[in-house]
Amino acid sequence: MPDIWTVLLVAILLLLFAVPVVRQQLTRARRLRAIRDLEVERRTRVIVLIHRQERIGFLGIPLFRYIDINDSEEILRAIRLTPPEMPIDFIIHTPGGLILSSEQIAMALRRHRGKVTVFVPHYAMSGGTLLCLAADEVAMDENAVLGPVDPRIGEYPAASILRVPRLKPPEEIEDETFILVDIASKAQNQMREFVTGLLGGRMDAGQADRLSRLLTEGKWTHDYPITLEQARELGLPVTSGMPAGIYRLMDLFPQAMPRRPSVAYVPIPYREEEKKG
């Protein structure tokens, strides 16, 4: 007969493994219900691309997320399951990701015949901005931001690599650097052409060319925040405002809690008269 302490230890270990799994399944069910509520309210197909650092299993290991091939496969499948004329609401919160995956998603959104609206409650940087360029409308929170889509070669911006031959004579440049310069030139040209294609038909050719160069040729750093007002000035189809259901959905994708919380507040809205009192 097993020792009572052995039974308790086994039970505790089972709980340690089971509780996170049950919690994840409950959260997933709540997310799907929130998505379905938005679809019923807006009569659209809702697709969500939200990248956070989430805790995995009972060890709480953080997982860094970005747009990858798995994302593009799932999103392309969701678009295929959507009737051609049905509008798509695409909710994006991402730091960016792989160029190939981002371009595949952008092309699929651009080809969809129904209206495509991208919602940006907080930020859609790099590859996320590329997806916004494929949309018919981009609805941003008033504090949300987009970003440049200039390509990077490894750790370095392609635009910075291309400056090397202008700053140093050829005899002082290593062969490997010349190869990087060649790759950077191709990457920049390819991205500029892709962005111009996404913008084609939605603005005149000259404006599309100017905007594509501005976003791809390294005028700003890669993490430069393009605000709602600036996006409008650039000619993007940007509107302000966000359905309340999208904020509720974002609450179901929490950031992994650090050991020491750095932000604290009472999570309820205050009425104006309460603030005066």
Side-chain angles (χ1 to χ4, degrees), residues 100-170:
L100 173 61
S101 301
S102 302
E103 288 183 343
Q104 283 185 297
I105 299 170
M107 288 188 291
L109 293 173
R110 188 72 171 84
R111 292 192 184 104
H112 186 70
R113 293 206 295 270
K115 181 181 179 181
V116 175
T117 304
V118 170
F119 291 91
V120 184
H122 184 58
Y123 77 150
M125 304 298 285
S126 189
T129 299
L130 201 62
L131 306 186
C132 293
L133 298 178
D136 299 297
E137 178 183 352
V138 181
M140 297 175 62
D141 179 271
E142 62 180 5
N143 297 308
V145 295
L146 308 179
V149 295
D150 55 307
R152 298 176 66 85
I153 309 300
E155 302 178 19
Y156 306 110
S160 297
I161 295 174
L162 291 174
R163 285 176 55 85
V164 174
R166 306 173 204 163
L167 301 175
K168 297 178 71 175

Side-chain angles (χ1 to χ4, degrees), residues 6 31 54-55 73 112 217-218 220 235 251 260 273:
T6 302
R31 289 171 178 174
E54 296 189 346
R55 293 192 181 278
E73 288 177 358
H112 186 70
E217 294 187 349
W220 302 304
D251 289 340
R260 294 183 181 178
E273 58 267 23

Side-chain angles (χ1 to χ4, degrees), residues 166-180:
R166 306 173 204 163
L167 301 175
K168 297 178 71 175
E171 58 272 13
E172 296 182 14
I173 301 175
E174 297 181 357
D175 292 346
E176 183 178 344
T177 303
F178 275 119
I179 294 172
L180 290 177

Side-chain angles (χ1 to χ4, degrees), residues 77-111:
R77 180 173 182 270
I79 295 174
R80 285 197 302 272
L81 293 174
T82 305
E85 304 299 333
M86 175 178 279
I88 289 177
D89 286 343
F90 198 176
I91 303 168
I92 299 178
H93 175 80
T94 182
L98 300 179
I99 290 179
L100 173 61
S101 301
S102 302
E103 288 183 343
Q104 283 185 297
I105 299 170
M107 288 188 291
L109 293 173
R110 188 72 171 84
R111 292 192 184 104

Side-chain angles (χ1 to χ4, degrees), residues 110 133 135 195-212 215 231-238:
R110 188 72 171 84
L133 298 178
V195 170
T196 302
L198 286 180
L199 298 174
R202 300 181 179 182
M203 56 180 65
D204 64 69
Q207 186 181 9
D209 180 68
R210 286 191 298 273
L211 181 53
S212 65
L215 293 175
R232 281 176 175 160
E233 293 172 1
L234 295 176
L236 295 176
V238 173

